[in-house]
Amino acid sequence: MFYVKETINDSLEVKVEINDENVFCHCPVCGREVSVNLEDVLGDGRGDLFSTSVMCEDCSREMMEVGHGNGSKAEC
């Protein structure tokens, strides 16, 4: 079991198991909270928790459209 641990004060420590339902990040473009499946993001062994970010669906779609020459802008 992997978990995160945070010491609140000398007498209180919180531990939370990391699972496929409780890992999140913020989209680096619009700041929206994004649910993250760590296996999908880090499973190939090429990423790490410090330098990897995950975009929301809307910003990802916009980037794909711009990359394909569509040029339309999606609202985030």
Side-chain angles (χ1 to χ4, degrees):
M1 169 179 84
F2 289 94
Y3 61 92
V4 293
K5 177 172 70 172
E6 183 70 30
T7 301
I8 306 302
N9 58 44
D10 290 341
S11 62
L12 181 60
E13 181 178 88
V14 176
K15 293 180 184 178
V16 177
E17 179 181 357
I18 297 172
N19 60 50
D20 62 347
E21 296 178 356
N22 69 356
V23 177
F24 299 87
C25 72
H26 287 105
C27 174
V29 177
C30 70
R32 183 179 298 152
E33 185 175 80
V34 179
S35 178
V36 177
N37 181 323
L38 290 177
E39 176 65 27
D40 291 344
V41 175
L42 303 175
D44 64 2
R46 296 173 54 194
D48 63 76
L49 291 176
F50 300 106
S51 63
T52 302
S53 57
V54 177
M55 289 193 299
C56 71
E57 188 175 321
D58 291 340
C59 290
S60 294
R61 186 179 315 108
E62 178 180 336
M63 178 177 275
M64 295 296 284
E65 289 172 355
V66 170
H68 286 87
N70 184 337
S72 64
K73 294 283 281 179
E75 267 316 297
C76 289

